[in-house]
Amino acid sequence: MQDVVIYPGYTSEISFRKFGTKILISLNVNPVSKVLGTDTVLQSIHYITRGSSHYSPQLQKQLRSSLIGQVIWTSYNFKTYTIEDIDFEQDLNSEFETDSGKISYWEYYTSHWNIPLATKNQPLLKTTQGKRVIHLVPETCLRSEINDYARRKLPQICSVKPAERLKRASQLIEMLSQAGSHQQFLKNFAMKIESTPLQVKGRQLQPPRLSVPGVDPFRPNKNWRDIDLKLDFSKIKKEGIGLNLYLTYCPTERTKDILPRYVMEIATELEKANSPVYF
C-alpha cells in the first residue's frame, strides 16, 4: 500500500441562517482530514527516466506528459501548486533574485528551509501565482495523487467517528477560548461559543416496509439480499402487480460494452413477466 500522511483539521463556514423569527450569524465547523501522498516529484522523475540524469528530448516529452497538470504540495509549508511546465534549462545550481541579492536554489533550500537535498541535478518545476513565475524543486514537492488501493482504504481510516468528532470540536472550542487573535475574530462578529456542546435526544427510525412481488411486505435488515427472499417476478402477471423499473447508467470505457447487454437481459426477464419495458 502507498504511504500517506494524514493531517486532521477543520472546515469552517460563516453564513446567515434563520432561527425561528431571527436571522443570526452561524459558524459551522466540521472536522476533516487532509491526505497527502509521500511520493515526491523527484521519485516520479526517477521512475520515468529509470534513474537517468540525462534528460533527452524524448524523456523531456515523457516527463511533461506525465507531470504537467499535477497538483503538488510543498513539504516545507504545505502550499498547493499546479505544475505548468518543467524547466530543463535550470537546476539547483541556478540562481534567483532575493531582497539580499542572488542566491542558488541549493543554498536557499539548505540554509533558509534547512532541507537536506540529495542531488543538484534535477530540473525545476514551473508554476505561476498571479503574474509571478515560481520555480520549485522536485525533491521538496509531494504529489497529491494517491493510488487506487490507498484511495479505497482511506474512508476506513479518515472517517471521523462521533466520539472523535466531539473530541476535536472540544479541542477547537478550547483553542478559540484562549486569548489572542481568535477572541478578536469572535468579537468582530459578536459571536460567543459555549464551553460545552449542546445535547439533544435522538431517536432511530424503523426501516421502511417494502412491498416486493413474490413475498409478504417486510422490513429489511442490514444483511438482507434479494436471493435470500427468493423473489419471484413471475408472480407479477399472476397477481396483477404493476412494476415500474427505472435504470440510468453512465458507461465508461471499460463498461460501455457490458452495460447495454446487462440492461437487455433485465428487459428480457421483465417482458417474460408481462411487464412493459420502455427505452
Side-chain angles (χ1 to χ4, degrees), residues 238-255:
K238 296 177 183 177
E239 300 177 4
I241 300 173
L243 177 64
N244 293 325
L245 179 65
Y246 300 91
L247 293 174
T248 303
Y249 68 92
C250 182
T252 64
E253 190 63 31
R254 290 189 300 175
T255 61

PDB file of all heavy atoms in Angstrom, residues 238-255:
ATOM      1  N   LYS A 238     -49.415 -13.129 -12.583  1.00  0.00           N
ATOM      2  CA  LYS A 238     -50.494 -13.860 -11.942  1.00  0.00           C
ATOM      3  C   LYS A 238     -51.269 -12.987 -10.967  1.00  0.00           C
ATOM      4  O   LYS A 238     -52.478 -13.070 -10.857  1.00  0.00           O
ATOM      5  CB  LYS A 238     -49.931 -15.081 -11.206  1.00  0.00           C
ATOM      6  CG  LYS A 238     -49.285 -16.103 -12.134  1.00  0.00           C
ATOM      7  CD  LYS A 238     -48.671 -17.248 -11.340  1.00  0.00           C
ATOM      8  CE  LYS A 238     -47.969 -18.239 -12.256  1.00  0.00           C
ATOM      9  NZ  LYS A 238     -47.312 -19.327 -11.472  1.00  0.00           N
ATOM     10  N   GLU A 239     -50.548 -12.136 -10.222  1.00  0.00           N
ATOM     11  CA  GLU A 239     -51.188 -11.356  -9.191  1.00  0.00           C
ATOM     12  C   GLU A 239     -51.579  -9.956  -9.658  1.00  0.00           C
ATOM     13  O   GLU A 239     -52.128  -9.172  -8.903  1.00  0.00           O
ATOM     14  CB  GLU A 239     -50.245 -11.242  -7.974  1.00  0.00           C
ATOM     15  CG  GLU A 239     -49.909 -12.610  -7.385  1.00  0.00           C
ATOM     16  CD  GLU A 239     -48.913 -12.505  -6.238  1.00  0.00           C
ATOM     17  OE1 GLU A 239     -48.571 -11.358  -5.876  1.00  0.00           O
ATOM     18  OE2 GLU A 239     -48.492 -13.544  -5.707  1.00  0.00           O
ATOM     19  N   GLY A 240     -51.263  -9.647 -10.925  1.00  0.00           N
ATOM     20  CA  GLY A 240     -51.634  -8.351 -11.465  1.00  0.00           C
ATOM     21  C   GLY A 240     -50.898  -7.196 -10.817  1.00  0.00           C
ATOM     22  O   GLY A 240     -51.442  -6.110 -10.666  1.00  0.00           O
ATOM     23  N   ILE A 241     -49.654  -7.436 -10.396  1.00  0.00           N
ATOM     24  CA  ILE A 241     -48.869  -6.395  -9.735  1.00  0.00           C
ATOM     25  C   ILE A 241     -48.144  -5.570 -10.782  1.00  0.00           C
ATOM     26  O   ILE A 241     -47.483  -6.104 -11.669  1.00  0.00           O
ATOM     27  CB  ILE A 241     -47.837  -7.020  -8.764  1.00  0.00           C
ATOM     28  CG1 ILE A 241     -48.565  -7.851  -7.701  1.00  0.00           C
ATOM     29  CG2 ILE A 241     -46.982  -5.951  -8.110  1.00  0.00           C
ATOM     30  CD1 ILE A 241     -47.635  -8.634  -6.811  1.00  0.00           C
ATOM     31  N   GLY A 242     -48.283  -4.270 -10.705  1.00  0.00           N
ATOM     32  CA  GLY A 242     -47.569  -3.397 -11.624  1.00  0.00           C
ATOM     33  C   GLY A 242     -46.172  -3.101 -11.097  1.00  0.00           C
ATOM     34  O   GLY A 242     -45.974  -2.922  -9.901  1.00  0.00           O
ATOM     35  N   LEU A 243     -45.202  -3.070 -11.971  1.00  0.00           N
ATOM     36  CA  LEU A 243     -43.822  -2.818 -11.556  1.00  0.00           C
ATOM     37  C   LEU A 243     -43.191  -1.805 -12.492  1.00  0.00           C
ATOM     38  O   LEU A 243     -43.150  -1.996 -13.700  1.00  0.00           O
ATOM     39  CB  LEU A 243     -43.011  -4.121 -11.581  1.00  0.00           C
ATOM     40  CG  LEU A 243     -41.526  -3.997 -11.231  1.00  0.00           C
ATOM     41  CD1 LEU A 243     -41.363  -3.536  -9.792  1.00  0.00           C
ATOM     42  CD2 LEU A 243     -40.797  -5.310 -11.448  1.00  0.00           C
ATOM     43  N   ASN A 244     -42.763  -0.681 -11.940  1.00  0.00           N
ATOM     44  CA  ASN A 244     -42.032   0.324 -12.706  1.00  0.00           C
ATOM     45  C   ASN A 244     -40.561   0.241 -12.325  1.00  0.00           C
ATOM     46  O   ASN A 244     -40.195   0.363 -11.153  1.00  0.00           O
ATOM     47  CB  ASN A 244     -42.550   1.729 -12.406  1.00  0.00           C
ATOM     48  CG  ASN A 244     -43.965   1.929 -12.916  1.00  0.00           C
ATOM     49  OD1 ASN A 244     -44.335   1.380 -13.965  1.00  0.00           O
ATOM     50  ND2 ASN A 244     -44.764   2.688 -12.191  1.00  0.00           N
ATOM     51  N   LEU A 245     -39.729  -0.006 -13.303  1.00  0.00           N
ATOM     52  CA  LEU A 245     -38.294  -0.126 -13.058  1.00  0.00           C
ATOM     53  C   LEU A 245     -37.574   0.903 -13.920  1.00  0.00           C
ATOM     54  O   LEU A 245     -37.750   0.940 -15.136  1.00  0.00           O
ATOM     55  CB  LEU A 245     -37.801  -1.533 -13.415  1.00  0.00           C
ATOM     56  CG  LEU A 245     -36.311  -1.802 -13.230  1.00  0.00           C
ATOM     57  CD1 LEU A 245     -35.926  -1.710 -11.769  1.00  0.00           C
ATOM     58  CD2 LEU A 245     -35.924  -3.165 -13.795  1.00  0.00           C
ATOM     59  N   TYR A 246     -36.782   1.769 -13.284  1.00  0.00           N
ATOM     60  CA  TYR A 246     -36.050   2.803 -13.997  1.00  0.00           C
ATOM     61  C   TYR A 246     -34.555   2.519 -13.869  1.00  0.00           C
ATOM     62  O   TYR A 246     -34.047   2.345 -12.763  1.00  0.00           O
ATOM     63  CB  TYR A 246     -36.365   4.189 -13.415  1.00  0.00           C
ATOM     64  CG  TYR A 246     -37.827   4.558 -13.505  1.00  0.00           C
ATOM     65  CD1 TYR A 246     -38.699   4.268 -12.472  1.00  0.00           C
ATOM     66  CD2 TYR A 246     -38.326   5.185 -14.644  1.00  0.00           C
ATOM     67  CE1 TYR A 246     -40.044   4.587 -12.557  1.00  0.00           C
ATOM     68  CE2 TYR A 246     -39.666   5.528 -14.743  1.00  0.00           C
ATOM     69  CZ  TYR A 246     -40.514   5.229 -13.695  1.00  0.00           C
ATOM     70  OH  TYR A 246     -41.846   5.554 -13.781  1.00  0.00           O
ATOM     71  N   LEU A 247     -33.898   2.446 -14.990  1.00  0.00           N
ATOM     72  CA  LEU A 247     -32.460   2.205 -14.995  1.00  0.00           C
ATOM     73  C   LEU A 247     -31.743   3.379 -15.652  1.00  0.00           C
ATOM     74  O   LEU A 247     -32.087   3.780 -16.761  1.00  0.00           O
ATOM     75  CB  LEU A 247     -32.122   0.919 -15.761  1.00  0.00           C
ATOM     76  CG  LEU A 247     -32.596  -0.392 -15.131  1.00  0.00           C
ATOM     77  CD1 LEU A 247     -32.314  -1.549 -16.076  1.00  0.00           C
ATOM     78  CD2 LEU A 247     -31.928  -0.618 -13.795  1.00  0.00           C
ATOM     79  N   THR A 248     -30.790   3.934 -14.955  1.00  0.00           N
ATOM     80  CA  THR A 248     -29.958   5.006 -15.500  1.00  0.00           C
ATOM     81  C   THR A 248     -28.510   4.601 -15.323  1.00  0.00           C
ATOM     82  O   THR A 248     -28.101   4.225 -14.223  1.00  0.00           O
ATOM     83  CB  THR A 248     -30.197   6.337 -14.776  1.00  0.00           C
ATOM     84  OG1 THR A 248     -31.587   6.667 -14.874  1.00  0.00           O
ATOM     85  CG2 THR A 248     -29.362   7.445 -15.406  1.00  0.00           C
ATOM     86  N   TYR A 249     -27.743   4.648 -16.388  1.00  0.00           N
ATOM     87  CA  TYR A 249     -26.336   4.274 -16.257  1.00  0.00           C
ATOM     88  C   TYR A 249     -25.479   5.213 -17.095  1.00  0.00           C
ATOM     89  O   TYR A 249     -25.916   5.777 -18.080  1.00  0.00           O
ATOM     90  CB  TYR A 249     -26.099   2.820 -16.663  1.00  0.00           C
ATOM     91  CG  TYR A 249     -26.292   2.515 -18.130  1.00  0.00           C
ATOM     92  CD1 TYR A 249     -25.223   2.579 -19.024  1.00  0.00           C
ATOM     93  CD2 TYR A 249     -27.540   2.147 -18.630  1.00  0.00           C
ATOM     94  CE1 TYR A 249     -25.395   2.306 -20.364  1.00  0.00           C
ATOM     95  CE2 TYR A 249     -27.719   1.867 -19.970  1.00  0.00           C
ATOM     96  CZ  TYR A 249     -26.642   1.939 -20.832  1.00  0.00           C
ATOM     97  OH  TYR A 249     -26.808   1.669 -22.156  1.00  0.00           O
ATOM     98  N   CYS A 250     -24.259   5.386 -16.644  1.00  0.00           N
ATOM     99  CA  CYS A 250     -23.291   6.236 -17.338  1.00  0.00           C
ATOM    100  C   CYS A 250     -22.102   5.362 -17.722  1.00  0.00           C
ATOM    101  O   CYS A 250     -21.261   5.043 -16.881  1.00  0.00           O
ATOM    102  CB  CYS A 250     -22.853   7.383 -16.432  1.00  0.00           C
ATOM    103  SG  CYS A 250     -21.691   8.509 -17.233  1.00  0.00           S
ATOM    104  N   PRO A 251     -22.017   4.906 -18.952  1.00  0.00           N
ATOM    105  CA  PRO A 251     -20.948   3.964 -19.330  1.00  0.00           C
ATOM    106  C   PRO A 251     -19.578   4.617 -19.322  1.00  0.00           C
ATOM    107  O   PRO A 251     -19.423   5.790 -19.635  1.00  0.00           O
ATOM    108  CB  PRO A 251     -21.356   3.544 -20.747  1.00  0.00           C
ATOM    109  CG  PRO A 251     -22.159   4.688 -21.273  1.00  0.00           C
ATOM    110  CD  PRO A 251     -22.891   5.244 -20.079  1.00  0.00           C
ATOM    111  N   THR A 252     -18.605   3.816 -18.938  1.00  0.00           N
ATOM    112  CA  THR A 252     -17.210   4.224 -19.027  1.00  0.00           C
ATOM    113  C   THR A 252     -16.551   3.439 -20.155  1.00  0.00           C
ATOM    114  O   THR A 252     -17.178   2.591 -20.799  1.00  0.00           O
ATOM    115  CB  THR A 252     -16.476   3.958 -17.714  1.00  0.00           C
ATOM    116  OG1 THR A 252     -16.459   2.542 -17.459  1.00  0.00           O
ATOM    117  CG2 THR A 252     -17.162   4.671 -16.551  1.00  0.00           C
ATOM    118  N   GLU A 253     -15.298   3.679 -20.373  1.00  0.00           N
ATOM    119  CA  GLU A 253     -14.591   2.998 -21.455  1.00  0.00           C
ATOM    120  C   GLU A 253     -14.584   1.494 -21.222  1.00  0.00           C
ATOM    121  O   GLU A 253     -14.666   0.700 -22.147  1.00  0.00           O
ATOM    122  CB  GLU A 253     -13.149   3.527 -21.543  1.00  0.00           C
ATOM    123  CG  GLU A 253     -12.384   3.059 -22.777  1.00  0.00           C
ATOM    124  CD  GLU A 253     -13.020   3.551 -24.078  1.00  0.00           C
ATOM    125  OE1 GLU A 253     -13.616   4.644 -24.080  1.00  0.00           O
ATOM    126  OE2 GLU A 253     -12.932   2.816 -25.084  1.00  0.00           O
ATOM    127  N   ARG A 254     -14.492   1.083 -19.940  1.00  0.00           N
ATOM    128  CA  ARG A 254     -14.412  -0.341 -19.639  1.00  0.00           C
ATOM    129  C   ARG A 254     -15.776  -1.027 -19.612  1.00  0.00           C
ATOM    130  O   ARG A 254     -15.871  -2.226 -19.809  1.00  0.00           O
ATOM    131  CB  ARG A 254     -13.720  -0.546 -18.278  1.00  0.00           C
ATOM    132  CG  ARG A 254     -12.239  -0.211 -18.302  1.00  0.00           C
ATOM    133  CD  ARG A 254     -11.562  -0.638 -17.005  1.00  0.00           C
ATOM    134  NE  ARG A 254     -12.137   0.035 -15.847  1.00  0.00           N
ATOM    135  CZ  ARG A 254     -11.787  -0.224 -14.584  1.00  0.00           C
ATOM    136  NH1 ARG A 254     -10.892  -1.138 -14.337  1.00  0.00           N
ATOM    137  NH2 ARG A 254     -12.335   0.447 -13.601  1.00  0.00           N
ATOM    138  N   THR A 255     -16.855  -0.251 -19.349  1.00  0.00           N
ATOM    139  CA  THR A 255     -18.165  -0.880 -19.180  1.00  0.00           C
ATOM    140  C   THR A 255     -19.135  -0.584 -20.323  1.00  0.00           C
ATOM    141  O   THR A 255     -20.256  -1.069 -20.295  1.00  0.00           O
ATOM    142  CB  THR A 255     -18.811  -0.401 -17.866  1.00  0.00           C
ATOM    143  OG1 THR A 255     -18.991   1.021 -17.926  1.00  0.00           O
ATOM    144  CG2 THR A 255     -17.929  -0.750 -16.673  1.00  0.00           C
TER     145      THR A 255
END
